[in-house]
Amino acid sequence: MTGQKYVVVGAGPVGSLAALYAAKRGHDVEIYELRGDLRDPSTTPLNFTKSINLALSERGINAMRHADQQGLLDHVVSATIPMRGRMIHGKRPSGELYEEPQDYDIHGRTIFAVDRAGLNTRLLDILGAMPNVKFFFNYKLTGADFKRRKAWFEVRNQNSPSGRPEEIEISFDFMMGADGAHSAVRYHLMKFTRMNYQQEYVDTLWCEFQIKPKEGNELHDQKSKFRISPNHLHIWPGKQFMFIAIPSEDGSFTCTLFLPGAEFANLEADPSKLPTFFDQHFPGVTSLIEPSELISSFEENPHLPLISIKCQPYHYSSSVVILGDAAHAMVPFYGQGMNAGLEDVRILFSILDKHAAAENNNPDDPGSDDAEYQRGMALAEYSALRVADAHAINDLALQNYVEMRASVLSPTYRLRKFLEEFMSVHLPSLGWQTKYSRVSFGNERYSEVVAKSNHQGKVLLRGLIAMLCSPVLVGGLGLYLTQRRGSGSVPLLDVIRNLTRR
Ligand code: FAD
């Protein structure tokens, strides 16, 4: 199935990786991108005042690992900062500020803060050096006919004599739509397939801030540029609100304020209230960001909505598929949007490869006649497999907002995390892990993660009920833990502290 014309719409992280996978398989790849070339400093990424830092984790890394591109992963990972856990910020009743680390993983695995533009640029550079890849920047998809395999693009920096942008028509064998949450490919796909579609705006807006690096003679090493720990994702949980900070290589932190719309409206009416609001809900932030800067960032940076989209199927016939945010935009609270999109690419191509191999193994007709038929089969298999997983991570992302802004402080949450990690270390044969570990450090299907985590939850609940009802079991556990204390692996006091720690 080589030598086909693959058109990718959207040169974000997902479209760029999809283009790389296609180009590596020998297809002629054309990439059409609404905006200018990201590598041109005058191009501002949509929605962001500058490039933002995202959490990259195993699924995104694995997708790059399978791109068959020497050096890609090393290059991307070398520019990341490992984050070993959350750092919860708060204020004790005495007024004292505290920071409390919560590791993501008992085995010490980390997620990575990555500059979105850096990752994207690396992919564009690799694609730019490939003879079978062509870029079309400032081209906006305006129409598509997936039966005739034709598409229309507005050329944004080229006006016709009438003053309207020029439009061009192209043909293709296969289109991959990676054009983000407001996907035009998805919009046109809906006219060709009976797509179920659901979108939800959550009652939360977000706005970006920045903690600047330290300056001057106080800097002894790279790490001392950071005003707070560089190896954590910092959270100021506010029950209904949340402020987070993710480290950047230059010592700064990209920060995001998440608030319900009504709270934003209150603050927009009088931004001078912002420092007091922060002191009340996010203690300590005003010593990291000057109050005047808080106000100016709030006034200058956009206040943006969060959308969660579910749809199915993701394809039509053998001519088009949607990937990444175009297929499953999600709220950012699990740090999985981009990771899931990159994973889409790996899974899609593993299925396409399997069907291409079947076509080539056909002794009656080895070659290209079957190409479209096999791709159609592959796309149907991809939609059938991936929809359940994309829906699962969309739901997990919505649920994680509650975890990040409130549950991280709850004893029940800590108890469950502790017990699941305890089982993972002391009874590894049971294969227990926390949900977070399965999502962020593994490649199991998201739908299986949910099923396994629900099962663990039920077993834990039954175990706890049985324990509470059985003095013998409580005595036995006490004895076991005391003995383990002797071997130094599970000090009883640690257990009690983990259960009761605030
Ligand atoms: P996009 O990045 O949206 O790229 C789509 C591209 O298509 C754009 O370049 C756009 O210009 C182009 N395009 C759009 N329309 C057209 C058209 N008609 N014609 C041609 N081109 C078009 N994800 C994580 O994994 N970890 C995180 O920590 C994380 N944090 C986040 C924090 C915030 C505040 C937000 C908002 C998102 C976060 N995400 C995170 C999600 C992540 O940003 C997205 O999932 C990811 O960018 C999706 O990549 P994409 O390539 O599918 O789409």
Side-chain angles (χ1 to χ4, degrees):
M1 239 197 263
T2 54
Q4 296 241 311
K5 181 169 165 188
Y6 277 34
V7 161
V8 177
V9 182
V14 176
S16 304
L17 188 70
L20 178 58
Y21 270 65
K24 282 280 175 184
R25 281 154 181 79
H27 300 297
D28 294 322
V29 178
E30 292 185 356
I31 307 169
Y32 291 82
E33 165 56 48
L34 166 75
R35 277 170 280 157
D37 189 340
L38 188 68
R39 295 166 293 177
D40 172 350
S42 66
T43 305
T44 306
L46 180 76
N47 283 347
F48 305 116
T49 52
K50 62 175 195 62
S51 176
I52 57 156
N53 278 0
L54 303 176
L56 173 69
S57 52
E58 168 58 21
R59 290 166 200 270
I61 291 174
N62 196 34
M64 285 188 269
R65 194 180 285 135
H66 282 85
D68 185 26
Q69 176 63 40
Q70 179 107 28
L72 165 63
L73 194 55
D74 291 346
H75 186 282
V76 169
V77 171
S78 69
T80 62
I81 301 179
M83 296 186 289
R84 55 179 293 170
R86 298 169 178 148
M87 183 70 85
I88 310 298
H89 294 255
K91 195 192 234 175
R92 298 194 199 288
S94 63
E96 181 200 355
L97 296 182
Y98 70 86
E99 284 187 337
E100 185 196 281
Q102 285 183 1
D103 281 359
Y104 284 129
D105 185 49
I106 188 98
H107 305 288
R109 290 171 293 183
T110 67
I111 58 174
F112 299 89
V114 69
D115 175 38
R116 182 187 178 281
L119 188 157
N120 212 158
T121 296
R122 182 65 195 154
L123 287 167
L124 295 179
D125 282 344
I126 292 169
L127 290 165
M130 297 178 89
N132 52 337
V133 176
K134 282 192 198 134
F135 287 119
F136 296 84
F137 290 110
N138 295 304
Y139 282 70
K140 176 184 180 184
L141 182 89
T142 52
D145 181 334
F146 295 121
K147 278 202 170 113
R148 293 195 296 139
R149 295 172 202 259
K150 291 199 179 302
W152 293 270
F153 290 86
E154 212 174 78
V155 189
R156 299 192 91 198
N157 50 5
Q158 230 173 280
N159 284 348
S160 67
S162 70
R164 288 187 52 78
E166 288 281 5
E167 193 171 74
I168 59 151
E169 178 181 291
I170 63 152
S171 324
F172 56 88
D173 292 304
F174 180 41
M175 177 181 281
M176 292 187 281
D179 50 344
H182 302 285
S183 168
V185 178
R186 184 183 66 227
Y187 173 77
H188 294 291
L189 173 57
M190 282 177 181
K191 299 177 207 160
F192 289 83
T193 188
R194 287 172 293 143
M195 181 187 279
N196 289 332
Y197 177 80
Q198 182 190 329
Q199 77 173 43
E200 182 186 353
Y201 279 102
V202 293
D203 181 22
T204 296
L205 301 176
W206 63 280
C207 174
E208 195 188 293
F209 295 81
Q210 198 197 26
I211 297 175
K212 294 218 167 84
K214 282 188 198 161
E215 283 169 358
N217 302 334
E218 51 190 321
L219 305 184
H220 308 297
D221 57 34
Q222 279 294 93
K223 263 198 161 182
S224 57
K225 292 185 295 185
F226 295 93
R227 289 178 193 272
I228 45 180
S229 161
N231 298 118
H232 289 90
L233 190 157
H234 295 264
I235 305 182
W236 283 260
K239 297 257 162 58
Q240 297 307 314
F241 331 126
M242 183 169 75
F243 188 73
I244 65 167
I246 299 186
S248 306
E249 270 200 307
D250 65 356
S252 67
F253 287 79
T254 304
C255 306
T256 315
L257 170 67
F258 296 98
L259 282 184
E263 293 294 338
F264 258 101
N266 271 340
L267 292 167
E268 280 161 2
D270 183 3
S272 70
K273 287 187 199 152
L274 212 69
T276 315
F277 180 86
F278 266 70
D279 284 340
Q280 192 183 346
H281 298 287
F282 311 125
V285 172
T286 49
S287 61
L288 298 167
I289 307 176
E290 289 283 326
S292 60
E293 258 177 60
L294 269 184
I295 296 172
S296 59
S297 298
F298 185 80
E299 286 177 331
E300 284 159 24
N301 295 345
H303 302 168
L304 295 163
L306 292 174
I307 195 167
S308 176
I309 291 174
K310 287 179 181 171
C311 64
Q312 69 176 99
Y314 297 140
H315 74 289
Y316 170 70
S317 177
S318 59
S319 61
V320 61
V321 71
I322 49 174
L323 301 168
D325 276 17
H328 47 64
M330 65 191 77
V331 294
F333 306 117
Y334 227 115
Q336 282 294 308
M338 179 184 70
N339 287 290
L342 299 178
E343 186 179 60
D344 288 348
V345 176
R346 178 182 66 78
I347 291 173
L348 171 68
F349 277 88
S350 73
I351 297 174
L352 285 169
D353 289 349
K354 186 179 79 182
H355 284 268
E359 168 208 337
N360 291 330
N361 287 339
N362 179 353
D364 301 332
D365 186 14
S368 64
D369 280 359
D370 261 355
E372 282 172 16
Y373 173 75
Q374 292 296 347
R375 190 168 55 234
M377 299 273 285
L379 297 185
E381 184 178 330
Y382 173 76
S383 275
L385 182 85
R386 197 60 178 154
V387 162
D389 296 322
H391 289 195
I393 188 60
N394 266 56
D395 292 340
L396 287 179
L398 282 166
Q399 290 157 17
N400 216 43
Y401 188 30
V402 182
E403 176 167 323
M404 285 177 88
R405 64 187 157 84
S407 308
V408 287
L409 300 173
S410 122
T412 330
Y413 164 80
R414 289 158 194 248
L415 174 64
R416 176 163 181 179
K417 183 173 187 297
F418 166 73
L419 289 174
E420 287 179 328
E421 289 181 340
F422 178 88
M423 301 288 273
S424 135
V425 170
H426 298 284
L427 292 169
S429 57
L430 292 183
W432 277 41
Q433 287 184 59
T434 62
K435 185 157 64 187
Y436 189 89
S437 289
R438 288 188 199 280
V439 168
S440 303
F441 304 122
N443 293 293
E444 272 175 304
R445 295 183 58 186
Y446 289 118
S447 55
E448 279 171 19
V449 170
V450 171
K452 286 185 181 166
S453 171
N454 288 347
H455 171 72
Q456 277 178 208
K458 281 185 196 147
V459 174
L460 272 179
L461 189 65
R462 276 189 225 126
L464 276 175
I465 292 171
M467 256 179 60
L468 291 174
C469 298
S470 160
V472 178
L473 266 178
V474 174
L477 180 68
L479 194 64
Y480 169 74
L481 292 172
T482 312
Q483 276 170 354
R484 296 300 295 236
R485 183 167 57 148
S487 70
S489 56
V490 187
L492 183 56
L493 284 177
D494 276 2
V495 176
I496 294 165
R497 202 170 51 227
N498 264 302
L499 297 180
T500 55
R501 197 170 53 175
R502 242 211 69 95

